[in-house]
Amino acid sequence: MAEPEELSKERLYEASVVDQVDGLKKAEYWMQHKRRMADYDRVYGGNMTGLTPEENALSTDMPYIENKLKNSSHDIKRLAREARGMPIFAKEGEDEKSVLRAKVRGAAVETIWEEGGGAELEGLLYLDLISGGFAALAVQVDKENSDYPQFLRLDPRNAYPTVANGKLVDMWYVEDMKERAAASLFPGLGLDGRPGNTRTVQVVMSFDKDRVVQSVCRQVGKGKQADVVAWW
């Protein structure tokens, strides 16, 4: 007997999520990108046990040297924050009403950025540009907590954007988290929220020009990706 159309679509989408994530993580370009970011994080955090690769491999003592990578990164971040631009909207005409409307639009953008938490994220976004080569934000609406859209920073360590001719085509965001933490974020999915649960799940977000799809994927077996719990 043929499967119902909706069930068939769900199983097709489920397989595509798992396959897409697996393919991205195994792609040579992204493996090198994440490896470079891991090297940056290691040195940024002071985990450098020698001045040369040979010393680094043999020594177990931390060197008494200035962390120039961390210092220079924060210098760049400070200079970037000081030089940040302001939103300026083009006037529709030369009359006073057109001038006023342009100023109001600019003020509205500044308010949305401030009230949505964007200004608080600027420092992290500049560090993302330094370490990962790009910064990413998602926008979400939470009417219960704010009248303004809220900005969510997407860590480039977990992001896989597709860019063509300088334009973002789509992006996948894959974050590993404890199943018990996901259970509190996504109630009703049947996840195990007990404190003793140490299993992990993958929270996957797929962004394209038409929609955002969020999925929660369980893992079973050693390194094996299982089916999708839910998506919305």
Side-chain angles (χ1 to χ4, degrees), residues 72-84 123 126:
S72 60
S73 295
H74 282 268
D75 286 342
I76 295 172
K77 180 185 76 171
R78 176 179 55 80
L79 292 171
R81 296 196 69 170
E82 290 176 356
R84 68 180 291 264
Y126 292 132

Side-chain angles (χ1 to χ4, degrees), residues 79-140:
L79 292 171
R81 296 196 69 170
E82 290 176 356
R84 68 180 291 264
M86 299 289 290
I88 298 177
F89 283 79
K91 296 179 292 184
E92 298 171 342
E94 295 300 327
D95 57 286
E96 291 185 5
K97 288 185 177 180
S98 295
V99 174
L100 179 59
R101 280 197 294 267
K103 290 182 179 179
V104 169
R105 291 190 184 100
V109 169
E110 280 288 298
T111 302
I112 291 171
W113 182 246
E114 293 280 345
E115 294 295 328
E120 298 176 1
L121 297 173
E122 286 181 9
L124 282 174
L125 296 177
Y126 292 132
L127 290 177
D128 287 345
L129 287 170
I130 295 169
S131 62
F134 66 89
L137 284 172
V139 183
Q140 61 183 5

